[in-house]
Amino acid sequence: MPDEQPQPTQTAPSNPAWERVQLARHPKRPHALDYIQRIFTGFMELHGDRAFADDAAIVAGFGKFDDRPVAVIAQQKGRDTKQKLHRNFGMPKPEGYRKAMRIMRLAEKFSRPIITFLDTPGAYPGIDAEERGQAEAIAVSLREMSRLEVPVVSVVIGEGGSGGALGLGVANRVYMLENAYYSVITPESCAAIIYRDSGEAARAAAALRLTAQDLLGLGLIDAVIPEPPGGAQLDYDATAAAIQQTLRGALDALRPMNAASLVEDRYNKFRQMGNLFLSQEAG
Amino acid sequence: MAWFNRQKPGVEAPPDEGGRKVRTEGLWEKCGHCDQIIWRKTLEEAMQVCPKCEYHFRIDARTRLALLFDNGEYEEHDEKLGSTDPLKFVDSKPYAERLAAMRRATALPDALISASGTMNGRRVNICAMELKFIGGSMGAVMGEQITRAIERSARERVPLVIVSASGGARMQEGAVSLMQLAKISAALMKLDEAKVPYISVMTDPTTGGVTASFAMLGDLNIAEPGALIGFAGPRVIEQTIRQKLPEGFQTSEFLLQHGFLDAVVKRSDLKEFLCRAFDLLMN
């Protein structure tokens, strides 16, 4: 284990899961565009869902990875207050998922691999998002990503907040940074439900088994990408280099596959997820 | 305090009146919407719909299947799958104990019945959720049952109906639950390519990961009147925006108005609607 500086927490003095959640939300943690700048050359951002608006919580476009064109789609958080508001704290709305789907279809049309970066506390829970079909936008994204005839690789770089994150995460290969988390519910909401106290988030974080190592152990991701000692916020370049190396390996493995086997590979990957049940006598 | 507390026994407790009291418990039901007192038998004959205001009472999975299939007859599938408690989750009590208690209370192995039978003579696969089983939440077992039902429909070219009644993904199975969204949505992609019709029926309530995956992915999406349907629950939205939600927000009628439902269908018309739709889409 790298000798991390443990974050001071009153509730749980040694709770690695909660420490990682805090690192995943660290104010200085690199966001998607920090990695995009370092990993891709000539990134061209494209905007809008052609139906309602452009959602700044999702960045989408094309760029070059090792001199070969790829599509990049990422959830983006802001750094200062103004940016945070502009990016809606990294919480996409339906138009964000619809923009993402538009760019993914473009990538498929022109046979470009797709790389997605996941980093959201969750899809935006607001009146306007519900009115425009937040659930429908995510659902369609899940189904349509499973149909894409090009390689898709996802990396959870910070917060993997439930369906909002998964909406960009139906990939042939899924990786997580060492201090990222991926969960069905935020620790705070989970604590509010089961302990009737959102202050018990640390306890909930441990119970939810949401760290990269946990997901690897549950067979839900392909590998954990190591971060520099102390966390990604201490060395953007080294973290970007580690992601780049992982992406290179994944794309090298997926590029030779034809369209049908890419779809089948992705299908089989998710088909076996959670094959964790036992036969029992009914009742 | 002697003047206050009666010292002679027998005055406070009425004499045994078992002989003269008419037992009425269980004969009447109060409408949750208009407060009408309804004779339970009348309610049963009206398919658990208030005769005065048409409020649709929540019904369990068995009642639902009995209403839809001819003569109430159907065969069940995958009814012996049981959760392995992959996270060894503990909240107010261990998840394994909660499951055991739920199995005893509902006589179901998990929150869904996967069934086949005929509707007006046409063979149909219907999955019906049981809200009483941990809020109809979806874990690995439900994910697998639904996926197998979809595969069965594709293989046998038999139309599929999923009747949703669920709070979403099951927190106690963490990211394993979350991945069921992707697994089921990918299976629906295959059903879509096989061109076998799927109708999603949303009932009160349908929220969270269930809405954000298969519930919104029907060839037709329909709902019972007055059902709560949404991505985020109303309390979560109120906490986010810190104001009360407008009247009628996230109801079936609201979704119809915003373009996310094909129709709002009364319970008494549901079977006929499904049969007519399959007739128009298949053969």
Side-chain angles (χ1 to χ4, degrees), chain A residues 57-243:
Chain A
I58 289 184
V59 167
F62 289 86
K64 287 191 175 177
F65 182 85
D66 290 343
D67 287 327
R68 297 163 81 175
V70 295
V72 187
I73 296 160
Q75 289 154 343
Q76 175 68 29
K77 291 181 180 174
R79 189 73 61 194
D80 57 34
T81 307
K82 202 177 155 199
Q83 278 184 20
K84 279 180 180 163
L85 288 171
H86 174 58
R87 302 289 181 188
N88 198 28
F89 302 86
M91 293 186 286
K93 294 183 179 180
E95 48 273 24
Y97 295 102
R98 292 180 183 133
K99 167 170 72 175
M101 186 41 59
R102 184 174 75 83
I103 303 303
M104 288 193 238
R105 290 206 172 108
L106 263 185
E108 184 181 45
K109 179 174 175 183
F110 296 107
S111 303
R112 303 300 187 224
I114 298 166
I115 291 157
T116 69
F117 292 124
L118 277 47
D119 188 14
T120 177
Y124 183 61
I127 291 182
D128 54 337
E130 294 285 329
E131 282 175 341
R132 294 195 293 278
Q134 187 70 284
E136 195 264 359
I138 293 171
V140 168
S141 194
L142 296 176
R143 184 186 62 199
E144 296 306 310
M145 281 189 85
S146 73
R147 206 191 309 250
L148 293 168
E149 298 187 339
V150 291
V152 186
V153 182
S154 292
V155 185
V156 188
I157 57 172
E159 295 190 86
S162 198
L166 182 63
L168 299 185
V170 185
N172 295 86
R173 300 285 184 275
V174 181
Y175 303 99
M176 284 178 74
L177 280 178
E178 190 181 343
N179 295 313
Y181 79 85
Y182 207 163
S183 179
V184 70
I185 186 168
T186 62
E188 286 78 5
S189 302
C190 178
I193 293 169
I194 62 176
Y195 309 119
R196 313 259 165 220
D197 178 5
S198 58
E200 292 280 359
R203 242 170 100 196
L208 282 167
R209 306 263 313 268
L210 45 61
T211 70
Q213 277 303 332
D214 289 331
L215 268 90
L216 187 66
L218 289 165
L220 305 178
I221 60 167
D222 293 275
V224 180
I225 303 175
E227 292 183 25
Q233 75 281 3
L234 298 177
D235 194 340
Y236 284 26
D237 290 337
T239 315
I243 295 174

Side-chain angles (χ1 to χ4, degrees), chain A residues 130 147 271 277-278 280, chain B residues 80 82 144 151 192 232 250:
Chain A
E130 294 285 329
R147 206 191 309 250
R271 179 66 187 84
F277 32 75
L278 26 105
Q280 50 149 28
Chain B
K80 293 209 161 76
E144 183 69 15
E151 289 170 340
D192 183 53
Q250 292 186 312

Side-chain angles (χ1 to χ4, degrees), chain B residues 5-212:
Chain B
N5 290 323
R6 284 183 188 278
Q7 291 178 321
K8 285 184 191 163
V11 180
E12 306 161 58
D16 176 32
E17 53 176 310
R20 59 186 174 94
K21 192 176 176 186
V22 181
R23 305 199 70 85
T24 53
E25 296 94 345
L27 280 178
W28 301 89
E29 192 86 51
K30 190 172 168 184
C31 174
H33 185 250
C34 70
D35 288 348
Q36 173 82 3
I37 308 291
I38 314 158
W39 195 28
R40 189 162 269 181
K41 194 143 178 267
T42 312
L43 196 57
E44 260 166 46
E45 281 162 6
M47 299 180 168
Q48 306 286 330
V49 176
C50 173
K52 190 181 166 204
C53 73
E54 296 215 318
Y55 169 77
H56 283 54
F57 284 71
R58 291 175 177 178
I59 59 174
D60 63 23
R62 293 217 176 274
T63 310
R64 173 70 62 185
L65 293 173
L67 288 178
L68 290 177
F69 284 120
D70 296 342
N71 309 317
E73 288 167 10
Y74 54 90
E75 54 174 303
E76 291 182 33
H77 302 283
D78 309 313
E79 72 275 26
K80 293 209 161 76
L81 297 180
S83 173
T84 56
D85 186 8
L87 270 50
K88 307 288 167 238
F89 195 89
V90 177
D91 48 77
S92 53
K93 60 177 160 180
Y95 173 49
E97 280 178 27
R98 188 178 295 275
L99 276 173
M102 282 290 168
R103 283 183 193 130
R104 278 192 302 275
T106 61
L108 290 175
D110 211 290
L112 181 122
I113 303 176
S114 174
S116 308
T118 57
M119 284 201 308
N120 292 354
R122 177 197 291 278
R123 198 165 168 78
V124 179
N125 293 325
I126 305 182
C127 291
M129 290 187 197
E130 181 53 67
L131 190 65
K132 287 183 196 140
F133 198 109
I134 319 187
S137 58
M138 173 173 64
V141 170
M142 188 193 285
E144 183 69 15
Q145 282 178 307
I146 295 179
T147 305
R148 288 188 191 179
I150 296 168
E151 289 170 340
R152 193 174 299 117
S153 274
R155 197 169 53 238
E156 299 168 356
R157 303 200 60 75
V158 167
L160 176 71
V161 175
I162 302 179
V163 184
S164 297
S166 171
R170 186 172 290 170
M171 191 177 68
Q172 291 89 342
E173 293 185 24
V176 174
S177 301
L178 178 63
M179 297 308 160
Q180 304 308 309
L181 276 65
K183 171 166 144 180
I184 296 171
S185 302
L188 285 174
M189 175 275 287
K190 292 215 161 179
L191 189 67
D192 183 53
E193 305 219 321
K195 298 193 186 344
V196 174
Y198 157 46
I199 300 183
S200 167
V201 180
M202 289 169 253
T203 69
D204 189 52
T206 300
T207 61
V210 165
T211 325

